[in-house]
Amino acid sequence: MNQLAGRILIITGAAGNLGRATAKTFAAAGATLALVDRDPRALQQLQDELPTGSAFATFALDLLDPRQPVELGKEVRSSLGQIYGLVNIAGGFAMGPTVDETTPEDWDAMLSLNLRTALNCARAVIPHLREAGAGRIVNVSARAATRGAANMAPYCVSKAAIVTLTESLAEELKHAGITANCILPGTLDTPQNRAAMPQQDRSTWVSPDAVADVILFLASHSARCVTGAAIPVYGRS
């Protein structure tokens, strides 16, 4: 079923594990995709994984530069058409020392990677969604947003900020026909997590494909009455 047929959506962090799964799921649902990542070679590899006949364009950008998402929005609008949605997946994770030993640079790195990229992209795309009179914003937070953890304060804080940002966007945009929601994944079953946690029970982890299905729902017409939500996607972890 082509739930997103005729819809143009931007996916950031598209060349990562969750980004690739989401891109393939959205392409199969009929969406036209603007796939964004900072790694042009990884974007090239992603193209080969998409379903035959997929409609997409790729953009290698630095989302920490607020000017580049603005130019992205303009280019997508002119080359692909009216933008319907934004899926903010770009981000990262890092353990660290205790709060008192965490450097300002480490704080800034996590806040920039996880919060500022989403903020820059939302600010750039919202005018296009307002122009369309409808749209979807889906942000990726994390289970870590719900409770602080030792040696993870910058990550937890940055992901908690995504929840608050999403709620603010939902309130500001609810009368413009635009929804804003976020998801809270638990531990994803990725090659990197398997290598980092070889003794863990992977049967309780969540596959990127399963998370992509939740993102697809939030971007679809079926979720038209859902906004300001933070959806747990923990599986059995």
Side-chain angles (χ1 to χ4, degrees), residues 209-227:
D209 289 344
V211 178
D213 286 341
V214 179
I215 296 173
L216 175 66
F217 165 72
L218 293 173
S220 73
H221 181 69
S222 298
R224 61 195 178 277
C225 293
V226 181
T227 194

Side-chain angles (χ1 to χ4, degrees), residues 22 26 47 60 68 81 98 110 114 135 137 147 165 210:
T22 303
F26 276 43
Q47 295 182 45
Q68 294 194 31
T98 57
M110 277 291 97
N114 290 321
I137 298 173
R147 183 177 179 182
L165 172 64

Side-chain angles (χ1 to χ4, degrees), residues 189-203:
D189 189 0
T190 66
Q192 292 85 351
N193 283 341
R194 289 189 177 209
M197 297 176 279
Q199 305 304 319
Q200 294 292 320
D201 178 8
R202 299 195 299 267
S203 68

